[in-house]
Amino acid sequence: MENRKLLNEELERKSVDEFRKAEKMPLILILENVRSMNNVGSVFRSADAFLIEKIYLCGYTPCPPHREIQKTALGATETVLWEHSDSALDVIRELKQQGVKIFSIEQAEKSIPLQETDVNGKLAVVFGNEVEGVSQEVIDAGDGVIEIPQHGMKHSLNIAVAAGIVCWEIFRKKNY
């Protein structure tokens, strides 16, 4: 059998303690007014997979612990560092003072295609509401906009899918 599926015990998964001690990728995720608990849980799971430094849950984005978040996070809320803030703008201002580059994931004039994004240094990426996207005031407060190129009819992705794509591309470009 050439492509035998690995058993769970063969996956070398980190324990919660090992995850917390592991070096994290210098990437922060900011969720601005994301409604779906399933989307929030899925973002936690991607953040765990790629050793993301932290998630900020802003505005009315739901926070753990909640059964609906846990259903898709599958324990990642126990490993990934997170914090709630009433305002994504406050988080952005604080991170910018620390020298973090802030990019919104959105379709906008002068956006940078994801594959052309400079990922040097510490980054934070903002994902917005499932219908409205990232607010204009948050876009204006950041350092730029990253766009995931799309060629179909819809030209939109589910926020959890978009987060997974962005995390993977930055992870890949940073050679983690």
Side-chain angles (χ1 to χ4, degrees):
M1 202 181 326
E2 291 181 28
N3 290 308
R4 180 185 62 82
K5 181 178 170 180
L6 295 176
L7 301 172
N8 280 344
E9 51 273 7
E10 295 176 290
L11 295 177
E12 299 179 22
R13 293 181 177 170
K14 290 176 175 33
S15 68
V16 171
D17 192 48
E18 289 170 330
F19 182 94
R20 289 184 180 147
K21 291 177 182 174
E23 181 182 347
K24 305 298 185 291
M25 180 169 56
L27 177 64
I28 296 167
L29 307 182
I30 302 170
L31 305 186
E32 180 196 25
N33 295 325
V34 172
R35 289 186 182 276
S36 166
M37 291 188 214
N38 290 324
N39 283 338
V40 171
S42 292
V43 170
F44 267 95
R45 197 149 152 210
S46 291
D48 177 280
F50 298 112
L51 285 170
I52 301 303
E53 186 174 308
K54 187 172 186 176
I55 299 175
Y56 284 93
L57 306 170
C58 300
Y60 55 73
T61 303
C63 298
H66 195 283
R67 190 173 65 77
E68 289 300 310
I69 294 172
Q70 301 301 77
K71 190 166 36 173
T72 50
L74 295 178
T77 58
E78 304 304 316
T79 55
V80 177
L81 186 62
W82 66 272
E83 184 177 327
H84 177 265
S85 174
D86 290 332
S87 168
L89 281 174
D90 289 347
V91 170
I92 289 167
R93 288 183 192 117
E94 180 182 321
L95 291 174
K96 284 185 90 163
Q97 287 179 345
Q98 298 170 22
V100 178
K101 289 188 263 178
I102 313 291
F103 291 94
S104 294
I105 306 301
E106 191 56 85
Q107 296 166 331
E109 294 176 346
K110 300 180 183 174
S111 63
I112 304 162
L114 176 59
Q115 69 273 19
E116 296 174 20
T117 303
D118 177 5
V119 299
N120 292 314
K122 195 168 191 177
L123 303 175
V125 291
V126 184
F127 297 91
N129 175 274
E130 291 88 344
V131 175
E132 302 297 323
V134 179
S135 69
Q136 187 64 53
E137 63 184 359
V138 165
I139 290 172
D140 293 343
D143 297 302
V145 176
I146 296 171
E147 186 170 343
I148 301 170
Q150 300 167 57
H151 302 285
M153 184 187 83
K154 288 294 182 189
H155 284 271
S156 72
L157 293 167
N158 173 282
I159 182 263
V161 171
I165 291 169
V166 169
C167 289
W168 163 249
E169 180 65 6
I170 293 172
F171 182 87
R172 185 188 68 78
K173 288 177 101 172
K174 285 185 174 284
N175 296 311
Y176 265 78

